[in-house]
Amino acid sequence: REVAIKTMALSQEFEGDELKDVKDRFFREAETAGMLNHPNIVTMFDAGEEHDLAFIAMEFLDGTDLAPYTKKGKLLPQMATMKICGKVAEALHYASNQRVVHRDIKPANIMLLKDKTVKVTDFGIARITASSKTKTGIVLGTPSYMSPEQLSGKHVDGRSNIFSLGVMMYEMLVGVRPFKGDSMATLLFQ
């Protein structure tokens, strides 16, 4: 079977007890994401660790993510965008019913395959990367797509994914993001 492998060097970002906690959460979330079975969610086959690299083996996708289609001059037809977002919404609804929240819906995490199938990727990984910090303590993630609850560090559920999908859809239809800011505070205010 042809697969894609996503790796994360967790030991470069975390150490000690924090590293153990992050690894435990990584494998727990990978297992949860691996139980999702929907035609618009990438299939995850396995997760493990090899030479300080955590990895996830998942379905190989022959296509491109949606990031290129968010720029003026490269936008998809409106009806195509609406169909794509509808498929993403179906996948998010299914995941929410399974009590799984993606936390990082954005064009780069949605794949459009050559056969026009839409696949949501990176389930189970978003929470780990969102908690990862650079050496200067800045939280990584994609704040422009985050719901106000997520930006302010509150508990999120499936509604946060819908907010992020709305931001993505707006960007794909108009060619700009609805909210811009130089800081988390500015984005939260908007």
Side-chain angles (χ1 to χ4, degrees), residues 64-89 105-112 118-119 145 163-179:
T64 184
D65 66 59
L66 296 179
Y69 304 113
T70 61
K71 312 286 185 260
K72 288 186 178 183
K74 301 260 186 192
L75 302 178
L76 295 171
Q78 289 180 356
M79 190 52 71
T81 295
M82 299 307 286
K83 286 180 180 179
I84 289 168
C85 290
K87 292 299 182 185
V88 174
I105 294 297
K106 61 184 179 183
N109 284 339
I110 312 298
M111 295 287 293
L112 181 59
V118 175
K119 293 276 189 170
Y145 299 95
F163 180 94
S164 300
L165 177 59
V167 172
M168 184 185 92
M169 183 168 50
Y170 181 96
E171 184 179 22
M172 290 182 69
L173 290 169
V174 178
V176 295
R177 293 180 188 154
F179 311 111

Side-chain angles (χ1 to χ4, degrees), residues 37 39 96 109 120 124 130 133 147 177:
N37 183 17
S96 183
N109 284 339
V120 180
K133 297 189 180 199
S147 67
R177 293 180 188 154

Side-chain angles (χ1 to χ4, degrees), residues 106-180:
K106 61 184 179 183
N109 284 339
I110 312 298
M111 295 287 293
L112 181 59
L113 306 188
K114 289 183 177 178
D115 68 1
K116 304 298 183 209
T117 301
V118 175
K119 293 276 189 170
V120 180
T121 66
D122 281 0
F123 266 99
I125 300 168
R127 177 180 260 177
I128 302 299
T129 44
S131 69
S132 175
K133 297 189 180 199
T134 64
K135 302 217 179 344
T136 58
I138 298 169
V139 176
L140 299 173
T142 318
S144 296
Y145 299 95
M146 290 180 183
S147 67
E149 298 81 9
Q150 189 173 1
L151 275 172
S152 61
K154 295 179 181 171
H155 173 77
V156 296
D157 57 25
R159 294 173 292 184
S160 183
N161 286 340
I162 299 303
F163 180 94
S164 300
L165 177 59
V167 172
M168 184 185 92
M169 183 168 50
Y170 181 96
E171 184 179 22
M172 290 182 69
L173 290 169
V174 178
V176 295
R177 293 180 188 154
F179 311 111
K180 295 179 188 169

Side-chain angles (χ1 to χ4, degrees), residues 40-79:
N40 298 111
I41 297 175
V42 65
T43 302
M44 294 177 51
F45 298 118
D46 194 15
E49 183 179 17
E50 189 73 31
H51 304 294
D52 289 333
L53 276 182
F55 71 86
I56 296 176
M58 61 188 84
E59 168 185 14
F60 177 78
L61 302 176
D62 190 10
T64 184
D65 66 59
L66 296 179
Y69 304 113
T70 61
K71 312 286 185 260
K72 288 186 178 183
K74 301 260 186 192
L75 302 178
L76 295 171
Q78 289 180 356
M79 190 52 71

